[in-house]
Short mmCIF file of all heavy atoms in Angstrom, two decimals:
data_model
loop_
_atom_site.label_atom_id
_atom_site.label_comp_id
_atom_site.label_asym_id
_atom_site.label_seq_id
_atom_site.Cartn_x
_atom_site.Cartn_y
_atom_site.Cartn_z
N LEU A 146 -80.91 100.54 29.57
CA LEU A 146 -81.01 99.29 30.33
C LEU A 146 -82.42 98.75 30.13
O LEU A 146 -83.39 99.43 30.46
CB LEU A 146 -80.76 99.53 31.81
CG LEU A 146 -79.34 99.90 32.22
CD1 LEU A 146 -79.33 100.58 33.58
CD2 LEU A 146 -78.45 98.66 32.24
N ASN A 147 -82.52 97.54 29.61
CA ASN A 147 -83.82 96.91 29.42
C ASN A 147 -83.91 95.74 30.39
O ASN A 147 -83.37 94.67 30.15
CB ASN A 147 -83.96 96.43 27.97
CG ASN A 147 -85.32 95.81 27.70
OD1 ASN A 147 -86.01 95.34 28.61
ND2 ASN A 147 -85.71 95.79 26.44
N TYR A 148 -84.58 95.98 31.53
CA TYR A 148 -84.70 94.95 32.55
C TYR A 148 -85.81 93.95 32.22
O TYR A 148 -85.95 92.94 32.91
CB TYR A 148 -84.99 95.60 33.91
CG TYR A 148 -83.86 96.44 34.44
CD1 TYR A 148 -84.00 97.80 34.63
CD2 TYR A 148 -82.63 95.87 34.76
CE1 TYR A 148 -82.96 98.59 35.12
CE2 TYR A 148 -81.59 96.64 35.27
CZ TYR A 148 -81.76 97.99 35.44
OH TYR A 148 -80.72 98.75 35.93
N LEU A 149 -86.59 94.23 31.20
CA LEU A 149 -87.62 93.30 30.77
C LEU A 149 -87.03 92.17 29.94
O LEU A 149 -87.43 91.01 30.06
CB LEU A 149 -88.69 94.04 29.97
CG LEU A 149 -89.41 95.17 30.71
CD1 LEU A 149 -90.17 96.06 29.74
CD2 LEU A 149 -90.35 94.61 31.77
N ASP A 150 -86.06 92.51 29.07
CA ASP A 150 -85.46 91.53 28.18
C ASP A 150 -83.99 91.23 28.50
O ASP A 150 -83.38 90.35 27.89
CB ASP A 150 -85.55 92.03 26.73
CG ASP A 150 -86.99 92.29 26.31
OD1 ASP A 150 -87.84 91.43 26.58
OD2 ASP A 150 -87.26 93.36 25.74
N GLY A 151 -83.41 91.99 29.44
CA GLY A 151 -82.05 91.69 29.88
C GLY A 151 -80.94 92.37 29.11
O GLY A 151 -79.78 92.07 29.33
N ALA A 152 -81.27 93.28 28.21
CA ALA A 152 -80.23 93.95 27.43
C ALA A 152 -79.70 95.16 28.19
O ALA A 152 -80.48 95.96 28.71
CB ALA A 152 -80.79 94.39 26.07
N ALA A 153 -78.37 95.29 28.23
CA ALA A 153 -77.74 96.40 28.94
C ALA A 153 -76.74 97.09 28.03
O ALA A 153 -75.57 96.70 27.98
CB ALA A 153 -77.07 95.90 30.22
N LEU A 154 -77.20 98.07 27.28
CA LEU A 154 -76.29 98.89 26.48
C LEU A 154 -75.80 100.00 27.39
O LEU A 154 -76.16 101.17 27.26
CB LEU A 154 -77.02 99.44 25.25
CG LEU A 154 -77.54 98.37 24.28
CD1 LEU A 154 -78.50 98.96 23.28
CD2 LEU A 154 -76.38 97.69 23.58
N TRP A 155 -74.93 99.63 28.31
CA TRP A 155 -74.63 100.43 29.50
C TRP A 155 -73.18 100.20 29.92
O TRP A 155 -72.79 99.06 30.18
CB TRP A 155 -75.57 100.01 30.62
CG TRP A 155 -75.70 100.95 31.76
CD1 TRP A 155 -75.09 100.86 32.96
CD2 TRP A 155 -76.54 102.09 31.82
NE1 TRP A 155 -75.48 101.89 33.77
CE2 TRP A 155 -76.38 102.67 33.09
CE3 TRP A 155 -77.42 102.70 30.93
CZ2 TRP A 155 -77.06 103.82 33.48
CZ3 TRP A 155 -78.09 103.83 31.31
CH2 TRP A 155 -77.93 104.39 32.57
N PRO A 156 -72.36 101.25 30.05
CA PRO A 156 -70.92 101.06 30.24
C PRO A 156 -70.45 101.10 31.69
O PRO A 156 -69.28 101.37 31.96
CB PRO A 156 -70.35 102.25 29.48
CG PRO A 156 -71.34 103.34 29.76
CD PRO A 156 -72.69 102.67 29.82
N ASP A 157 -71.35 100.85 32.64
CA ASP A 157 -70.98 101.05 34.04
C ASP A 157 -71.81 100.11 34.91
O ASP A 157 -72.71 99.42 34.43
CB ASP A 157 -71.26 102.52 34.43
CG ASP A 157 -70.50 102.95 35.67
OD1 ASP A 157 -69.88 102.09 36.33
OD2 ASP A 157 -70.54 104.16 35.98
N GLN A 158 -71.52 100.13 36.21
CA GLN A 158 -72.34 99.38 37.14
C GLN A 158 -73.76 99.93 37.13
O GLN A 158 -74.01 101.08 36.81
CB GLN A 158 -71.77 99.51 38.56
CG GLN A 158 -70.40 98.92 38.75
CD GLN A 158 -69.98 99.01 40.20
OE1 GLN A 158 -70.18 98.08 40.98
NE2 GLN A 158 -69.40 100.15 40.56
N GLN A 159 -74.69 99.09 37.52
CA GLN A 159 -76.08 99.50 37.68
C GLN A 159 -76.72 98.58 38.70
O GLN A 159 -76.27 97.45 38.89
CB GLN A 159 -76.81 99.47 36.33
CG GLN A 159 -76.67 98.20 35.54
CD GLN A 159 -77.58 97.09 36.02
OE1 GLN A 159 -78.67 97.35 36.52
NE2 GLN A 159 -77.13 95.84 35.89
N GLY A 160 -77.75 99.05 39.37
CA GLY A 160 -78.28 98.32 40.51
C GLY A 160 -79.59 97.62 40.28
O GLY A 160 -80.19 97.10 41.23
N GLY A 161 -80.06 97.55 39.03
CA GLY A 161 -81.36 96.95 38.78
C GLY A 161 -81.29 95.46 38.56
O GLY A 161 -80.22 94.83 38.58
N ARG A 162 -82.45 94.87 38.32
CA ARG A 162 -82.54 93.43 38.03
C ARG A 162 -83.75 93.18 37.14
O ARG A 162 -84.60 94.04 36.95
CB ARG A 162 -82.63 92.62 39.32
CG ARG A 162 -83.86 92.89 40.15
CD ARG A 162 -83.83 92.07 41.42
NE ARG A 162 -85.02 92.27 42.23
CZ ARG A 162 -85.20 91.70 43.41
NH1 ARG A 162 -84.27 90.92 43.91
NH2 ARG A 162 -86.32 91.92 44.08
N ARG A 163 -83.83 91.97 36.63
CA ARG A 163 -84.90 91.62 35.69
C ARG A 163 -86.26 91.71 36.37
O ARG A 163 -86.44 91.35 37.53
CB ARG A 163 -84.69 90.20 35.16
CG ARG A 163 -83.47 90.02 34.28
CD ARG A 163 -83.65 90.68 32.93
NE ARG A 163 -84.63 90.01 32.11
CZ ARG A 163 -84.35 88.99 31.29
NH1 ARG A 163 -83.10 88.54 31.19
NH2 ARG A 163 -85.29 88.44 30.56
N VAL A 164 -87.24 92.20 35.61
CA VAL A 164 -88.63 92.26 36.06
C VAL A 164 -89.52 91.82 34.91
O VAL A 164 -89.12 91.82 33.75
CB VAL A 164 -89.04 93.68 36.52
CG1 VAL A 164 -88.24 94.12 37.74
CG2 VAL A 164 -88.88 94.69 35.38
N GLU A 165 -90.76 91.44 35.23
CA GLU A 165 -91.72 91.06 34.19
C GLU A 165 -92.51 92.26 33.70
O GLU A 165 -92.99 92.26 32.57
CB GLU A 165 -92.66 89.99 34.73
CG GLU A 165 -91.96 88.67 35.02
CD GLU A 165 -92.92 87.59 35.48
OE1 GLU A 165 -94.14 87.90 35.60
OE2 GLU A 165 -92.48 86.46 35.72
N ARG A 166 -92.65 93.27 34.54
CA ARG A 166 -93.32 94.51 34.17
C ARG A 166 -92.77 95.61 35.08
O ARG A 166 -92.33 95.33 36.20
CB ARG A 166 -94.84 94.41 34.27
CG ARG A 166 -95.35 93.98 35.62
CD ARG A 166 -96.82 93.59 35.60
NE ARG A 166 -97.70 94.70 35.32
CZ ARG A 166 -98.16 95.54 36.24
NH1 ARG A 166 -97.80 95.40 37.52
NH2 ARG A 166 -98.98 96.52 35.91
N GLY A 167 -92.81 96.84 34.61
CA GLY A 167 -92.27 97.93 35.42
C GLY A 167 -92.35 99.25 34.69
O GLY A 167 -92.86 99.34 33.57
N VAL A 168 -91.83 100.29 35.31
CA VAL A 168 -91.88 101.63 34.75
C VAL A 168 -90.68 101.85 33.85
O VAL A 168 -89.64 101.21 33.98
CB VAL A 168 -91.91 102.71 35.86
CG1 VAL A 168 -93.07 102.45 36.81
CG2 VAL A 168 -90.59 102.77 36.62
N ALA A 169 -90.83 102.79 32.92
CA ALA A 169 -89.71 103.24 32.09
C ALA A 169 -89.28 104.61 32.59
O ALA A 169 -90.10 105.43 32.97
CB ALA A 169 -90.13 103.31 30.63
N ILE A 170 -87.97 104.85 32.56
CA ILE A 170 -87.41 106.13 32.98
C ILE A 170 -86.54 106.67 31.85
O ILE A 170 -85.64 105.97 31.36
CB ILE A 170 -86.59 106.00 34.27
CG1 ILE A 170 -87.50 105.59 35.43
CG2 ILE A 170 -85.87 107.31 34.58
CD1 ILE A 170 -86.75 105.27 36.71
N ILE A 171 -86.84 107.89 31.42
CA ILE A 171 -86.04 108.58 30.41
C ILE A 171 -85.43 109.80 31.08
O ILE A 171 -86.14 110.60 31.69
CB ILE A 171 -86.90 109.03 29.22
CG1 ILE A 171 -87.64 107.83 28.60
CG2 ILE A 171 -86.06 109.73 28.17
CD1 ILE A 171 -88.70 108.24 27.58
N THR A 172 -84.11 109.94 31.00
CA THR A 172 -83.46 111.06 31.65
C THR A 172 -82.35 111.61 30.78
O THR A 172 -81.73 110.89 30.00
CB THR A 172 -82.88 110.64 33.03
OG1 THR A 172 -82.09 111.71 33.56
CG2 THR A 172 -82.02 109.41 32.92
N GLN A 173 -82.10 112.90 30.92
CA GLN A 173 -81.00 113.54 30.21
C GLN A 173 -79.69 113.45 31.00
O GLN A 173 -78.66 113.89 30.50
CB GLN A 173 -81.34 115.01 29.92
CG GLN A 173 -82.42 115.17 28.86
CD GLN A 173 -82.72 116.61 28.54
OE1 GLN A 173 -83.67 117.19 29.04
NE2 GLN A 173 -81.92 117.22 27.67
N SER A 174 -79.73 112.90 32.19
CA SER A 174 -78.55 112.81 33.04
C SER A 174 -78.14 111.36 33.24
O SER A 174 -78.89 110.56 33.79
CB SER A 174 -78.84 113.45 34.41
OG SER A 174 -77.83 113.13 35.34
N GLY A 175 -76.91 111.03 32.84
CA GLY A 175 -76.40 109.68 33.06
C GLY A 175 -76.24 109.36 34.53
O GLY A 175 -76.54 108.25 34.98
N ASN A 176 -75.78 110.33 35.33
CA ASN A 176 -75.56 110.07 36.74
C ASN A 176 -76.86 109.86 37.48
O ASN A 176 -76.97 108.97 38.34
CB ASN A 176 -74.77 111.22 37.38
CG ASN A 176 -74.13 110.82 38.69
OD1 ASN A 176 -73.40 109.83 38.75
ND2 ASN A 176 -74.41 111.55 39.74
N ILE A 177 -77.89 110.66 37.16
CA ILE A 177 -79.19 110.45 37.78
C ILE A 177 -79.75 109.09 37.38
O ILE A 177 -80.36 108.38 38.19
CB ILE A 177 -80.15 111.59 37.42
CG1 ILE A 177 -79.73 112.87 38.16
CG2 ILE A 177 -81.60 111.25 37.74
CD1 ILE A 177 -80.57 114.09 37.85
N ALA A 178 -79.50 108.69 36.14
CA ALA A 178 -79.95 107.37 35.69
C ALA A 178 -79.30 106.27 36.52
O ALA A 178 -79.98 105.33 36.98
CB ALA A 178 -79.62 107.18 34.21
N VAL A 179 -77.99 106.36 36.73
CA VAL A 179 -77.29 105.37 37.55
C VAL A 179 -77.88 105.35 38.96
O VAL A 179 -78.18 104.29 39.52
CB VAL A 179 -75.78 105.66 37.60
CG1 VAL A 179 -75.10 104.75 38.61
CG2 VAL A 179 -75.14 105.48 36.23
N ASN A 180 -78.07 106.54 39.55
CA ASN A 180 -78.60 106.62 40.91
C ASN A 180 -79.98 105.98 41.01
O ASN A 180 -80.29 105.30 42.00
CB ASN A 180 -78.68 108.08 41.36
CG ASN A 180 -77.32 108.72 41.49
OD1 ASN A 180 -76.30 108.04 41.58
ND2 ASN A 180 -77.29 110.04 41.50
N LEU A 181 -80.81 106.19 40.01
CA LEU A 181 -82.16 105.61 40.05
C LEU A 181 -82.13 104.09 40.00
O LEU A 181 -82.99 103.43 40.60
CB LEU A 181 -83.00 106.18 38.91
CG LEU A 181 -83.45 107.63 39.10
CD1 LEU A 181 -84.02 108.20 37.81
CD2 LEU A 181 -84.48 107.74 40.21
N THR A 182 -81.16 103.53 39.31
CA THR A 182 -81.07 102.06 39.30
C THR A 182 -80.67 101.52 40.67
O THR A 182 -80.90 100.34 40.96
CB THR A 182 -80.05 101.56 38.26
OG1 THR A 182 -78.71 101.83 38.69
CG2 THR A 182 -80.30 102.16 36.89
N MET A 183 -80.06 102.36 41.51
CA MET A 183 -79.60 101.93 42.83
C MET A 183 -80.67 102.12 43.91
O MET A 183 -80.42 101.84 45.09
CB MET A 183 -78.35 102.72 43.22
CG MET A 183 -77.20 102.67 42.24
SD MET A 183 -76.51 101.00 42.08
CE MET A 183 -75.23 101.30 40.83
N GLN A 184 -81.86 102.62 43.56
CA GLN A 184 -82.89 102.90 44.56
C GLN A 184 -83.27 101.64 45.34
O GLN A 184 -83.26 100.53 44.80
CB GLN A 184 -84.11 103.53 43.89
CG GLN A 184 -84.72 102.74 42.75
CD GLN A 184 -85.72 101.69 43.17
OE1 GLN A 184 -86.37 101.81 44.21
NE2 GLN A 184 -85.88 100.65 42.35
N ARG A 185 -83.61 101.84 46.60
CA ARG A 185 -84.04 100.74 47.47
C ARG A 185 -85.46 100.97 47.95
O ARG A 185 -85.79 100.70 49.11
CB ARG A 185 -83.08 100.61 48.66
CG ARG A 185 -81.64 100.37 48.23
CD ARG A 185 -80.70 100.25 49.41
NE ARG A 185 -79.31 100.19 48.99
CZ ARG A 185 -78.27 100.06 49.80
NH1 ARG A 185 -78.47 99.97 51.10
NH2 ARG A 185 -77.04 100.02 49.33
N ARG A 186 -86.28 101.47 47.06
CA ARG A 186 -87.66 101.82 47.40
C ARG A 186 -88.67 100.87 46.75
O ARG A 186 -89.84 101.19 46.64
CB ARG A 186 -87.95 103.26 46.99
CG ARG A 186 -87.19 104.29 47.84
CD ARG A 186 -87.39 105.68 47.30
NE ARG A 186 -86.79 106.69 48.17
CZ ARG A 186 -87.46 107.54 48.95
NH1 ARG A 186 -88.78 107.49 48.97
NH2 ARG A 186 -86.84 108.42 49.69
N SER A 187 -88.20 99.73 46.29
CA SER A 187 -89.07 98.68 45.73
C SER A 187 -89.77 99.10 44.45
O SER A 187 -90.82 98.55 44.11
CB SER A 187 -90.13 98.24 46.76
OG SER A 187 -89.53 97.90 47.98
N LEU A 188 -89.20 100.07 43.74
CA LEU A 188 -89.80 100.48 42.45
C LEU A 188 -89.36 99.50 41.36
O LEU A 188 -88.17 99.40 41.07
CB LEU A 188 -89.34 101.89 42.09
CG LEU A 188 -89.74 102.37 40.69
CD1 LEU A 188 -91.26 102.52 40.60
CD2 LEU A 188 -89.05 103.69 40.34
N PRO A 189 -90.30 98.79 40.75
CA PRO A 189 -89.93 97.91 39.64
C PRO A 189 -89.63 98.73 38.38
O PRO A 189 -90.52 99.39 37.85
CB PRO A 189 -91.17 97.02 39.44
CG PRO A 189 -92.03 97.26 40.63
CD PRO A 189 -91.72 98.65 41.09
N ILE A 190 -88.39 98.70 37.93
CA ILE A 190 -87.99 99.46 36.76
C ILE A 190 -87.90 98.53 35.55
O ILE A 190 -87.16 97.54 35.57
CB ILE A 190 -86.63 100.15 36.99
CG1 ILE A 190 -86.74 101.13 38.17
CG2 ILE A 190 -86.20 100.91 35.74
CD1 ILE A 190 -85.43 101.81 38.52
N GLY A 191 -88.68 98.84 34.52
CA GLY A 191 -88.66 98.03 33.31
C GLY A 191 -87.53 98.42 32.37
O GLY A 191 -86.92 97.56 31.74
N CYS A 192 -87.24 99.72 32.28
CA CYS A 192 -86.12 100.16 31.46
C CYS A 192 -85.70 101.55 31.87
O CYS A 192 -86.49 102.33 32.42
CB CYS A 192 -86.43 100.09 29.97
SG CYS A 192 -87.60 101.33 29.39
N VAL A 193 -84.43 101.86 31.64
CA VAL A 193 -83.87 103.19 31.86
C VAL A 193 -83.17 103.61 30.58
O VAL A 193 -82.40 102.83 30.00
CB VAL A 193 -82.85 103.19 33.02
CG1 VAL A 193 -82.19 104.56 33.15
CG2 VAL A 193 -83.51 102.79 34.32
N ILE A 194 -83.45 104.81 30.13
CA ILE A 194 -82.81 105.33 28.91
C ILE A 194 -82.22 106.69 29.25
O ILE A 194 -82.94 107.63 29.58
CB ILE A 194 -83.81 105.45 27.74
CG1 ILE A 194 -84.53 104.13 27.51
CG2 ILE A 194 -83.08 105.89 26.48
CD1 ILE A 194 -85.66 104.20 26.50
N ALA A 195 -80.89 106.80 29.18
CA ALA A 195 -80.20 108.07 29.38
C ALA A 195 -79.89 108.64 28.01
O ALA A 195 -79.08 108.09 27.27
CB ALA A 195 -78.92 107.85 30.18
N VAL A 196 -80.54 109.74 27.65
CA VAL A 196 -80.56 110.19 26.26
C VAL A 196 -79.48 111.20 25.91
O VAL A 196 -79.26 111.50 24.73
CB VAL A 196 -81.94 110.78 25.90
CG1 VAL A 196 -83.00 109.70 25.93
CG2 VAL A 196 -82.31 111.91 26.86
N GLY A 197 -78.81 111.79 26.90
CA GLY A 197 -77.73 112.72 26.60
C GLY A 197 -78.18 113.89 25.74
O GLY A 197 -79.16 114.57 26.02
N ASN A 198 -77.46 114.10 24.62
CA ASN A 198 -77.72 115.28 23.77
C ASN A 198 -78.97 115.17 22.92
O ASN A 198 -79.39 116.16 22.32
CB ASN A 198 -76.53 115.52 22.84
CG ASN A 198 -75.28 115.97 23.57
OD1 ASN A 198 -75.24 115.98 24.79
ND2 ASN A 198 -74.26 116.33 22.83
N MET A 199 -79.53 114.00 22.79
CA MET A 199 -80.74 113.77 21.98
C MET A 199 -80.58 114.27 20.54
O MET A 199 -81.46 114.92 19.98
CB MET A 199 -81.97 114.44 22.62
CG MET A 199 -82.42 113.77 23.89
SD MET A 199 -84.00 114.39 24.50
CE MET A 199 -83.55 116.06 24.99
N ALA A 200 -79.42 113.97 19.96
CA ALA A 200 -79.20 114.38 18.57
C ALA A 200 -80.06 113.58 17.61
O ALA A 200 -80.43 114.07 16.54
CB ALA A 200 -77.72 114.20 18.21
N GLY A 201 -80.37 112.34 17.98
CA GLY A 201 -81.18 111.49 17.12
C GLY A 201 -82.55 111.25 17.70
O GLY A 201 -83.48 112.04 17.53
N VAL A 202 -82.69 110.15 18.44
CA VAL A 202 -83.98 109.80 19.03
C VAL A 202 -84.36 110.83 20.08
O VAL A 202 -83.55 111.22 20.93
CB VAL A 202 -83.89 108.39 19.67
CG1 VAL A 202 -85.18 108.08 20.43
CG2 VAL A 202 -83.65 107.34 18.60
N THR A 203 -85.60 111.30 20.03
CA THR A 203 -86.09 112.33 20.95
C THR A 203 -86.99 111.72 22.02
O THR A 203 -87.44 110.57 21.90
CB THR A 203 -86.88 113.39 20.18
OG1 THR A 203 -88.05 112.78 19.61
CG2 THR A 203 -86.03 114.02 19.08
N VAL A 204 -87.26 112.50 23.04
CA VAL A 204 -88.15 112.05 24.10
C VAL A 204 -89.54 111.70 23.56
O VAL A 204 -90.09 110.64 23.90
CB VAL A 204 -88.23 113.10 25.22
CG1 VAL A 204 -89.37 112.79 26.20
CG2 VAL A 204 -86.90 113.18 25.97
N PRO A 205 -90.17 112.54 22.71
CA PRO A 205 -91.48 112.15 22.18
C PRO A 205 -91.45 110.82 21.41
O PRO A 205 -92.38 110.02 21.51
CB PRO A 205 -91.84 113.32 21.25
CG PRO A 205 -91.11 114.48 21.81
CD PRO A 205 -89.82 113.92 22.32
N GLU A 206 -90.38 110.59 20.66
CA GLU A 206 -90.28 109.33 19.91
C GLU A 206 -90.17 108.14 20.87
O GLU A 206 -90.77 107.08 20.63
CB GLU A 206 -89.09 109.38 18.97
CG GLU A 206 -89.28 110.33 17.80
CD GLU A 206 -88.02 110.56 17.00
OE1 GLU A 206 -86.91 110.41 17.55
OE2 GLU A 206 -88.13 110.92 15.82
N LEU A 207 -89.42 108.30 21.94
CA LEU A 207 -89.29 107.22 22.91
C LEU A 207 -90.61 106.95 23.61
O LEU A 207 -91.00 105.79 23.80
CB LEU A 207 -88.22 107.57 23.94
CG LEU A 207 -86.77 107.49 23.45
CD1 LEU A 207 -85.82 108.08 24.49
CD2 LEU A 207 -86.38 106.04 23.14
N ILE A 208 -91.32 108.01 23.99
CA ILE A 208 -92.63 107.82 24.63
C ILE A 208 -93.56 107.04 23.70
O ILE A 208 -94.20 106.06 24.11
CB ILE A 208 -93.27 109.18 24.98
CG1 ILE A 208 -92.47 109.87 26.08
CG2 ILE A 208 -94.72 109.00 25.42
CD1 ILE A 208 -92.90 111.31 26.33
N THR A 209 -93.62 107.46 22.45
CA THR A 209 -94.53 106.84 21.48
C THR A 209 -94.21 105.37 21.29
O THR A 209 -95.12 104.54 21.10
CB THR A 209 -94.45 107.59 20.14
OG1 THR A 209 -94.74 108.97 20.36
CG2 THR A 209 -95.44 107.03 19.14
N GLU A 210 -92.93 105.01 21.37
CA GLU A 210 -92.55 103.60 21.22
C GLU A 210 -92.79 102.81 22.50
O GLU A 210 -93.32 101.70 22.47
CB GLU A 210 -91.07 103.50 20.83
CG GLU A 210 -90.59 102.08 20.58
CD GLU A 210 -91.36 101.38 19.48
OE1 GLU A 210 -91.64 102.00 18.45
OE2 GLU A 210 -91.71 100.19 19.67
N LEU A 211 -92.44 103.39 23.65
CA LEU A 211 -92.56 102.66 24.91
C LEU A 211 -94.00 102.31 25.25
O LEU A 211 -94.27 101.26 25.84
CB LEU A 211 -91.94 103.48 26.04
CG LEU A 211 -90.41 103.59 26.03
CD1 LEU A 211 -89.95 104.65 27.02
CD2 LEU A 211 -89.76 102.25 26.34
N VAL A 212 -94.95 103.17 24.89
CA VAL A 212 -96.34 102.90 25.26
C VAL A 212 -96.93 101.72 24.48
O VAL A 212 -98.00 101.24 24.83
CB VAL A 212 -97.24 104.15 25.08
CG1 VAL A 212 -96.79 105.26 25.99
CG2 VAL A 212 -97.29 104.60 23.63
N THR A 213 -96.24 101.27 23.45
CA THR A 213 -96.73 100.09 22.73
C THR A 213 -96.39 98.79 23.46
O THR A 213 -96.89 97.73 23.06
CB THR A 213 -96.13 100.04 21.31
OG1 THR A 213 -94.70 99.84 21.39
CG2 THR A 213 -96.41 101.33 20.55
N ASP A 214 -95.55 98.86 24.49
CA ASP A 214 -95.16 97.67 25.24
C ASP A 214 -96.07 97.54 26.46
O ASP A 214 -95.99 98.37 27.38
CB ASP A 214 -93.70 97.77 25.67
CG ASP A 214 -93.16 96.47 26.26
OD1 ASP A 214 -93.97 95.65 26.75
OD2 ASP A 214 -91.93 96.27 26.21
N PRO A 215 -96.94 96.53 26.53
CA PRO A 215 -97.87 96.42 27.65
C PRO A 215 -97.18 96.16 28.98
O PRO A 215 -97.81 96.28 30.04
CB PRO A 215 -98.76 95.24 27.24
CG PRO A 215 -97.95 94.46 26.27
CD PRO A 215 -97.11 95.45 25.54
N ARG A 216 -95.90 95.82 28.95
CA ARG A 216 -95.18 95.57 30.20
C ARG A 216 -94.75 96.87 30.88
O ARG A 216 -94.37 96.86 32.05
CB ARG A 216 -93.94 94.71 29.92
CG ARG A 216 -94.27 93.33 29.32
CD ARG A 216 -93.00 92.61 28.89
NE ARG A 216 -92.30 93.33 27.81
CZ ARG A 216 -91.12 92.97 27.31
NH1 ARG A 216 -90.49 91.91 27.80
NH2 ARG A 216 -90.56 93.67 26.34
N ILE A 217 -94.81 97.99 30.15
CA ILE A 217 -94.46 99.29 30.71
C ILE A 217 -95.70 99.88 31.39
O ILE A 217 -96.71 100.13 30.74
CB ILE A 217 -93.94 100.25 29.63
CG1 ILE A 217 -92.66 99.70 28.99
CG2 ILE A 217 -93.71 101.64 30.20
CD1 ILE A 217 -91.48 99.61 29.93
N THR A 218 -95.61 100.12 32.70
CA THR A 218 -96.79 100.54 33.47
C THR A 218 -96.91 102.06 33.60
O THR A 218 -98.00 102.58 33.81
CB THR A 218 -96.72 99.92 34.88
OG1 THR A 218 -95.46 100.28 35.48
CG2 THR A 218 -96.84 98.40 34.80
N ALA A 219 -95.80 102.76 33.53
CA ALA A 219 -95.79 104.22 33.61
C ALA A 219 -94.45 104.68 33.06
O ALA A 219 -93.50 103.89 32.98
CB ALA A 219 -95.99 104.71 35.04
#
Side-chain angles (χ1 to χ4, degrees):
L146 290 160
N147 182 337
Y148 294 116
L149 300 165
D150 302 314
L154 298 167
W155 197 260
D157 199 352
Q158 296 184 93
Q159 50 79 32
R162 63 182 181 183
R163 293 289 291 272
V164 296
E165 294 183 358
R166 56 193 294 274
V168 304
I170 295 173
I171 304 169
T172 172
Q173 290 182 262
S174 167
N176 198 54
I177 288 178
V179 172
N180 294 342
L181 286 168
T182 72
M183 305 295 179
Q184 55 86 27
R185 301 180 188 182
R186 292 174 174 252
S187 308
L188 173 66
I190 299 177
C192 71
V193 175
I194 307 172
V196 293
N198 291 8
M199 290 189 292
V202 174
T203 64
V204 168
E206 289 170 335
L207 287 171
I208 293 171
T209 304
E210 183 59 42
L211 289 168
V212 297
T213 66
D214 190 336
R216 300 172 296 175
I217 298 295
T218 55

